Amino acid sequence: MDTKTNATPQTTDLVKGSYSTAVKGAQDYNNKLLEFVQMNSNTAFEFAKRLLDVKSPAEFIELSTERARKQFATLTEQTQELATLAQKATSATTEPARRPNQGVRPV
């Protein structure tokens, strides 16, 4: 009976810790996502302003190509950063459960 009594608070603490870590990871991810949304919106408005000053089809194509190249690089970088954040959050959330010798044993 002592094993069950000892395991329950430890398991509860493990679950609470994992949940707290998961929430923190989700908040960090969402904050970074909102930062990217703001940055991308500002870039889109700046592009729209520059389009208003275009004088020729060649200038339009040059501006559009430059924008597409920069946008691809930015989105690639942002995707990698978000993936890294998600991976860190997942690892941090599951790490306590993977640690040996936590004192929690199956009943």
Side-chain angles (χ1 to χ4, degrees):
M1 188 68 158
D2 283 338
T3 305
K4 288 181 184 179
T5 306
N6 290 337
T8 302
Q10 291 171 344
T11 302
T12 301
D13 290 344
L14 181 68
V15 170
K16 283 181 183 178
S18 293
Y19 181 75
S20 295
T21 303
V23 169
K24 172 74 169 97
Q27 288 171 335
D28 292 345
Y29 186 92
N30 286 336
N31 288 340
K32 185 55 75 174
L33 189 60
L34 289 174
E35 177 185 320
F36 290 158
V37 167
Q38 180 67 42
M39 186 178 4
N40 294 340
S41 296
N42 290 343
T43 303
F45 282 120
E46 184 60 35
F47 175 67
K49 286 184 206 176
R50 290 180 66 192
L51 279 177
L52 294 174
D53 295 331
V54 168
K55 305 283 190 243
S56 69
E59 190 178 353
F60 172 79
I61 291 172
E62 181 182 334
L63 185 62
S64 296
T65 303
E66 175 190 339
R67 168 72 176 131
R69 192 177 317 112
K70 286 181 181 179
Q71 186 176 20
F72 180 76
T74 298
L75 291 177
T76 300
E77 183 181 314
Q78 290 173 348
T79 300
Q80 290 171 345
E81 197 168 334
L82 289 172
T84 300
L85 271 176
Q87 184 178 15
K88 285 180 182 178
T90 301
S91 294
T93 300
T94 60
E95 191 271 330
R98 291 181 283 142
R99 264 191 255 143
N101 302 323
Q102 282 295 310
V104 178
R105 292 182 179 82
V107 182

